[in-house]
Amino acid sequence: MLTGCVARKILSLRLFDAENGKKWDKSVVDKEYEVLCVSQFTLHRILKGNKLDFHDAMGPDLAPQFYENFLQLMKQNYAEDKIKNGVFGADMQVHIQNDGPVTIPLESPENLPEPKVRKPQGGKNANQNQSSSSLSKEGQKQSSASLSDSVETATENAASGDS
């Protein structure tokens, strides 16, 4: 499932320094940090000239439940009290302390571009490969349209407002 893969990746990514100073060695779980999940459809946009277009973002009929499912997966895979969330669809003032600049976009395997396949030199498999490719591209469009929320991870201090 799309959200399960992203939830596990957020909790497992080694983004933080170890106690011995080794860079990029510890995960949120290793450090026992909190995670702040904020629904932010504005990250799933395209630019049309100087205007933002959100037509590819998940619609308001499906997005709230998608977000709630994601939060539940995060809580199931980590300590429930360590998962914090914003209010879906609200205009929020989020105060965080960034340690970076580091931005890491996450995509599930279902949302990644189709691997390049060498074109067949003819023969009986040529039509089969073309048909398979068309189906994969259609599935990719559907998966891409279903991921509209972004998740920001923050350290324990940032999520609890101690920054």
Side-chain angles (χ1 to χ4, degrees), residues 65-109:
Q65 187 59 51
F66 182 88
Y67 178 64
E68 287 302 319
N69 290 345
F70 178 77
L71 289 172
Q72 289 307 311
L73 283 167
M74 292 289 288
K75 290 175 181 180
Q76 289 169 8
N77 287 288
Y78 191 35
E80 187 170 339
D81 64 319
K82 299 279 188 187
I83 305 299
K84 307 300 180 185
N85 61 288
V87 178
F88 185 87
D91 185 16
M92 296 176 283
Q93 298 294 318
V94 179
H95 299 278
I96 63 172
Q97 178 181 341
N98 284 333
D99 182 9
V102 175
T103 301
I104 302 170
L106 299 177
E107 297 191 34
S108 75

Side-chain angles (χ1 to χ4, degrees), residues 24-61:
W24 307 99
D25 192 51
K26 298 292 181 181
S27 71
V28 168
V29 175
D30 295 334
K31 301 290 272 185
E32 298 182 2
Y33 286 160
E34 293 178 329
V35 178
L36 175 62
C37 301
V38 179
S39 169
Q40 190 173 356
F41 79 94
T42 57
L43 293 178
H44 198 73
R45 55 51 193 126
I46 58 173
L47 291 175
K48 288 189 174 181
N50 292 329
K51 185 167 175 38
L52 295 170
D53 183 329
F54 301 107
H55 286 94
D56 287 339
M58 185 179 287
D61 53 333

Side-chain angles (χ1 to χ4, degrees), residues 2 7 14 19 22 27 39 57 80 87-88 90 96 103 105 114 116 122 132 137 142 151 163:
L2 184 68
R14 293 184 295 169
E19 290 74 22
K22 185 176 179 186
S27 71
S39 169
E80 187 170 339
V87 178
F88 185 87
I96 63 172
T103 301
E114 183 177 334
K116 293 183 180 182
S132 173
K137 287 179 182 174
Q142 291 172 355
V151 178
S163 56

